[in-house]
Amino acid sequence: MTLAEFFSCSLLAFGAPLVMFSLTVANDPVRIIIMIAAAFGWLLSFLLSSLVWYAVVPLRSYLAFGMVFAVIFQEGFRYGMYLLLRKTEEGLKEISENHNIGSNKLEMAYVSGLGFGTMSGAFALVNVLADSVGPGTLGLHNGTEYFFVTSAAMTLCMILLNTFWSVIFFSGFDDKNYLKVGWVILSHFFVSGLSLLNSRELYAATIIPSYIVLLITAYIAFRSAGGSTAKLVQSLTSRS
Amino acid sequence: MSDTGSESEIEEATEHTALMDGHIAEARPDREIAERIARKRKTKSDNQQSYGSVERTEGGASGAAGTSASNPPPPQPPADAQIEELELKYGARHVIKLFVPVTLCMLVVVATISSINFYSVKDVYLAYTPFHEESPYAVTKVWNALANSMILLSVIALMTVLLIVLYKKRCYKIIHGWLILSSLMLLFLFSYLYIEEALRAYNIPMDYITLVFVMWNFGGMGMIVIHWKGPLRLQQAYLIFIAALMALVFIKYLPEWTTWAVLAVISIWDLIAVLTPKGPLRILVETAQERNEPIFPALIYSSTVMYCLAATTPPPPGEPRARELRPLHPHGRGTADERRAARESGGAGDAAGFDAAWQARAQQQRRLRVDSSQPPRYTTRLERSPAPAQQPALDDEEKGVKLGLGDFIFYSVLVGKASSYGDWNTTLACFVAILIGLCLTLLLLAILKKALPALPISITFGLIFYFATRCVVKPFADALAAEQVFI
């Protein structure tokens, strides 16, 4: 039972990102490197936010405080990734075997966002998953039995959100459209803040709005990347 | 000496570029490059073609990259810049070629550590680490760890010097014997221990007859594949497995803090040995260059093997095929062979040397002894293969980036050690940090174009992230996970 829970939770959280990785990233060495660099960037941001959280001893029990700094640092590092990628864009184009790689400017954004998100998702969930294998489980004496599933669902949401956020964020800076950047930061704060309610087990109140934000963000990212309904329909029909 | 050395290195670097050109030549026909190739490379244009086609096939296979070859080249930068970029391009693919084996090796180690208890329990220790850190005082522990790591380091240095002396005196027989002996020991003894513990951990009963049969086949196959010939994949698998075994042995038999001290000390030693003008590894490289030999392929995992593999898998159209295949075999065989051999020989030598001395000690020594085999092998270095310039026959294969097997081992030791505390975040952080360190090293390699130590950057990152994650990040991450707060 616990094993089934482990597999279902890990597939729920990481199944979609894994497919995205293997279909879009795994083929291209440069993309893999960018993804790992983004993961490293996220790691650094998390390290910094934990340092802040750790250093301010009196506020350690208030996770909201740590969360605010974590969001700020993450967005800072997202901007850092943006600068880094835009600076090395030419070089990357040269070193990759695929000279199409820069043809869509947001390709890098997507890849780095996926790296960012995967790392954050992994950090949020790996230990939980490792515990879920058993021998014990949650929800028998106290605690809620939905702990693992909700964690996995939120993780998936965060991974996808990070991917889309990076796309929107990069395109926002490219087009000097700071509304998009604002949306990224605000929705990040919103979703993270919402997840504070998880500790009260108000899962419906956190997961549903988070996924609504995810849908909106996905739509904005889709538009930012130059997508339109007509193109989507076309891409779906031309297959058959 | 050092002057000529660096000169030849530069020369080689250019050679490399020229080699590189081979496979991208089709995509961007640059005159200078073409001339270079013509000048430097004896191999005919069909070779380039074959590489070009291989590239394309690969690209085609990968889908997204499909159009790369036929794409019109972007505005051509001046030749120098282009060579630069060729170097880099060369890097991008090979970085991944190194990532895969490194990741696999770490995966084996981490999986073993987390499923087989045996390797994380401390009971016996290496003969080289006489201080067992049993004192409750931190100062004593630090002192013990430092003393242990210094002893281990001197053993390693001694073995390296011994190896170089043997090499300088051209005692190839001895070196080979050494290598074969150590590979024998690793493949049979350590694998036996590993299988035994794995069976015990999973509570699987097995009779000795079956076990002997399995071991004989496994070990015999390993010896054949490593020292003679065999499918490349199999060779690589054996190499990775052996590196993982060595890493496990280190994790098991080194005292807690000694492991960390050793990692730190080794990476500094690596820095010194490779970069100082009279560093032993540098001498090794230079001697090998003077003799037009591949430097101890036994000590080195060269991505070229994998490169060749990649080149062969998509059958190149028509004639090029034969050409591709031919070098592949001798090289693969030679490299793996020597690599293994060298590595093992190093180990064996150590073992032999210390055996007598330590025989009096407890019986566990066997294992300890085996450990000793590692030091020489640690001779890890990341380098642009120096051989190609001198070895026309090996040219094709030699263009890969090479990573010492010792690097595999110590990377895996770090990650495995991190995972032995049961926190996956730490493991993950160390893994990513090491990969990024490897990336940076390869970037430096492309810029500096000389043999570089692969351990310092990666291990430094790994250590920083290990301790930072363990002390600072873990509490935060745990609190976040427990409260289900997502940031």
Side-chain angles (χ1 to χ4, degrees), chain A residues 97 100 127 150-151 195 198 203, chain B residues 62 67-68 93 423 484 486:
Chain A
E97 268 132 41
N100 277 337
N127 279 323
T150 47
S151 285
S195 70
N198 272 335
Y203 292 127
Chain B
S62 60
T67 48
S68 65
R93 205 155 32 91
D423 180 38
Q484 290 185 292
F486 289 81

Side-chain angles (χ1 to χ4, degrees), chain B residues 28-249:
Chain B
R28 37 174 76 226
D30 182 287
R31 293 230 9 218
E32 291 228 21
I33 289 171
E35 278 171 27
R36 249 169 198 289
I37 296 169
R39 191 158 24 96
K40 294 227 171 169
R41 217 182 171 171
K42 308 285 176 196
T43 56
K44 295 126 268 173
S45 59
D46 73 64
N47 194 22
Q48 299 171 26
Q49 290 248 340
S50 76
Y51 274 108
S53 61
V54 169
E55 279 314 291
R56 216 195 292 151
T57 333
E58 261 185 303
S62 60
T67 48
S68 65
S70 55
N71 236 22
Q76 303 259 341
D80 271 357
Q82 194 156 43
I83 285 169
E84 255 326 278
E85 121 206 345
L86 290 181
E87 286 280 325
L88 283 172
K89 167 185 269 183
Y90 171 72
R93 205 155 32 91
H94 284 281
V95 172
I96 302 305
K97 295 262 150 74
L98 287 183
F99 273 10
V100 174
V102 167
T103 308
L104 281 179
C105 189
M106 289 176 184
L107 214 62
V108 172
V109 172
V110 169
T112 310
I113 291 278
S114 47
S115 60
I116 301 178
N117 214 11
F118 172 75
Y119 284 102
S120 38
V121 174
K122 302 280 175 200
D123 39 16
V124 286
Y125 295 104
L126 271 186
Y128 305 125
T129 56
F131 307 107
H132 294 167
E133 298 179 13
E134 273 144 7
S135 146
Y137 302 106
V139 182
T140 323
K141 278 189 181 178
V142 168
W143 171 86
N144 278 353
L146 283 181
N148 281 338
S149 57
M150 281 305 159
I151 292 174
L152 208 63
L153 181 66
S154 29
V155 171
I156 287 172
L158 205 72
M159 287 303 147
T160 315
V161 171
L162 188 66
L163 197 70
I164 289 165
V165 169
L166 283 177
Y167 190 61
K168 277 261 185 196
K169 305 255 179 216
R170 294 175 187 271
C171 305
Y172 293 116
K173 287 253 165 71
I174 301 180
I175 294 180
H176 266 273
W178 189 358
L179 295 185
I180 289 177
L181 215 67
S182 18
S183 61
L184 203 71
M185 187 137 60
L186 261 172
L187 276 176
F188 285 97
L189 186 62
F190 280 138
S191 310
Y192 169 73
L193 282 177
Y194 183 86
I195 292 179
E196 193 187 14
E197 291 307 326
L199 290 176
R200 193 170 291 160
Y202 288 102
N203 208 10
I204 302 170
M206 184 180 279
D207 57 302
Y208 272 102
I209 300 170
T210 317
L211 193 62
V212 166
F213 181 75
V214 168
M215 282 310 302
W216 169 251
N217 279 286
F218 176 81
M221 175 65 110
M223 292 300 282
I224 292 173
V225 161
I226 294 164
H227 295 289
W228 191 37
K229 62 173 152 191
L232 269 178
R233 290 257 187 220
L234 202 60
Q235 258 172 17
Q236 290 164 349
Y238 266 102
L239 278 181
I240 290 172
F241 182 69
I242 283 199
L245 268 189
M246 273 322 295
L248 284 173
V249 165

Side-chain angles (χ1 to χ4, degrees), chain B residues 16 20 23 51 58 89-102 232-233 236 239 297 299-312 328 331-332 335-336 339 381-385 394-405 408 438 442 445:
Chain B
H16 259 291
M20 285 280 320
H23 60 267
Y51 274 108
E58 261 185 303
K89 167 185 269 183
Y90 171 72
R93 205 155 32 91
H94 284 281
V95 172
I96 302 305
K97 295 262 150 74
L98 287 183
F99 273 10
V100 174
V102 167
L232 269 178
R233 290 257 187 220
Q236 290 164 349
L239 278 181
L299 298 173
I300 286 167
Y301 187 107
S302 101
S303 72
T304 51
V305 181
M306 304 203 57
Y307 179 79
C308 283
L309 187 67
T312 12
L328 183 65
H331 173 63
T335 315
R339 195 195 288 156
R381 144 192 354 134
L382 187 66
E383 72 180 84
R384 199 148 281 261
S385 57
L394 286 187
D395 262 4
D396 295 352
E397 305 104 43
E398 286 297 330
K399 39 177 141 157
V401 180
K402 296 182 164 185
L403 187 63
L405 274 175
F408 279 80
L438 193 56
L442 287 167
L445 191 70

Side-chain angles (χ1 to χ4, degrees), chain B residues 326-340:
Chain B
R326 202 166 5 118
L328 183 65
H329 257 303
H331 173 63
R333 181 169 110 209
T335 315
D337 196 354
E338 283 166 273
R339 195 195 288 156
R340 240 338 131 80

Side-chain angles (χ1 to χ4, degrees), chain A residues 59-186:
Chain A
L59 291 178
R60 236 185 250 183
S61 53
Y62 298 99
L63 278 177
F65 167 77
M67 181 213 83
V68 169
F69 274 93
V71 172
I72 291 172
F73 278 121
Q74 280 183 76
E75 294 307 329
F77 270 85
R78 208 193 296 280
Y79 184 62
M81 271 314 281
Y82 170 78
L83 289 185
L84 184 74
L85 282 177
R86 286 297 170 253
K87 268 212 177 116
T88 54
E89 193 173 28
E90 281 308 305
L92 285 174
K93 218 180 274 184
E94 295 305 334
I95 68 170
S96 92
E97 268 132 41
N98 171 9
H99 290 286
N100 277 337
I101 197 156
S103 61
N104 191 338
K105 288 189 121 187
L106 295 176
E107 187 179 331
M108 295 295 157
Y110 162 76
V111 173
S112 77
L114 191 60
F116 228 69
T118 311
M119 202 59 193
S120 89
F123 255 65
L125 202 65
V126 206
N127 279 323
V128 175
L129 281 180
D131 288 340
S132 78
V133 186
T137 188
L138 272 174
L140 293 180
H141 268 300
N142 62 33
T144 164
E145 57 181 310
Y146 297 116
F147 182 86
F148 293 128
V149 180
T150 47
S151 285
M154 278 303 288
T155 305
L156 173 65
C157 182
M158 288 310 284
I159 296 175
L160 295 179
L161 271 176
N162 264 307
T163 313
F164 299 141
W165 279 334
S166 278
V167 172
I168 299 172
F169 194 84
F170 282 37
S171 97
F173 272 107
D174 278 344
D175 310 342
K176 305 257 181 287
N177 184 349
Y178 296 110
L179 265 182
K180 287 179 177 173
V181 179
W183 165 260
V184 169
I185 295 172
L186 278 184

